[in-house]
Amino acid sequence: QVQLVESGGGLVQAGGSLRLSCAASRTINSISTMAWYRQAPGRQRELVASITTGASANYGGSVKGRFTISRDSAKKTVELQMNTLAPEDTAVYYCYVHTFSGGNYWGQGTQVTVSS
């Protein structure tokens, strides 16, 4: 049963933009934090951006100023607007959701490839 579905990944040239979307299923309730992580080959998974119920956002140092995270709590979706993309941003991007009851959920991941 897929509970988080990501979309919007693809191939883009350096300097371009992409917008990632993630939707939580009806089986996930009382969401506290929604976030995006990414993992490149040979590297650890790292936080890209997170956003709380109170709309407080946190960004990884390498993306701050270029990426923007937003959420719609009613629709249970989270978006990641990525601008001025660089080859270093190439990775599989994963949606993550944490609930107030202690649940943790991960999406299947969507590939983002930035060509130079």
Side-chain angles (χ1 to χ4, degrees):
Q1 182 71 30
V2 178
Q3 296 179 289
L4 293 179
V5 179
E6 303 117 326
S7 63
L11 175 65
V12 65
Q13 62 191 41
S17 299
L18 284 174
R19 187 175 182 87
L20 304 183
S21 298
C22 174
S25 76
R26 61 182 297 276
T27 64
I28 301 178
N29 300 293
S30 300
I31 296 173
S32 57
T33 299
M34 306 186 83
W36 288 96
Y37 286 76
R38 69 185 182 187
Q39 187 165 26
R43 298 186 61 83
Q44 294 184 320
R45 187 170 298 186
E46 65 174 345
L47 174 70
V48 178
S50 65
I51 185 166
T52 66
T53 301
S56 178
N58 181 61
Y59 297 93
S62 64
V63 307
K64 191 173 183 64
R66 299 187 297 126
F67 293 7
T68 302
I69 189 170
S70 60
R71 68 185 286 177
D72 186 322
S73 295
K75 296 194 295 185
K76 297 194 290 186
T77 59
V78 61
E79 313 283 324
L80 184 69
Q81 178 65 47
M82 305 185 293
N83 298 323
T84 58
L85 284 162
E88 308 89 82
D89 297 314
T90 295
V92 177
Y93 285 69
Y94 297 91
C95 181
Y96 168 79
V97 165
H98 178 71
T99 68
F100 285 107
S101 61
N104 296 284
Y105 303 86
W106 290 94
Q108 293 293 307
T110 184
Q111 178 71 47
V112 171
T113 302
V114 185
S115 62
S116 59

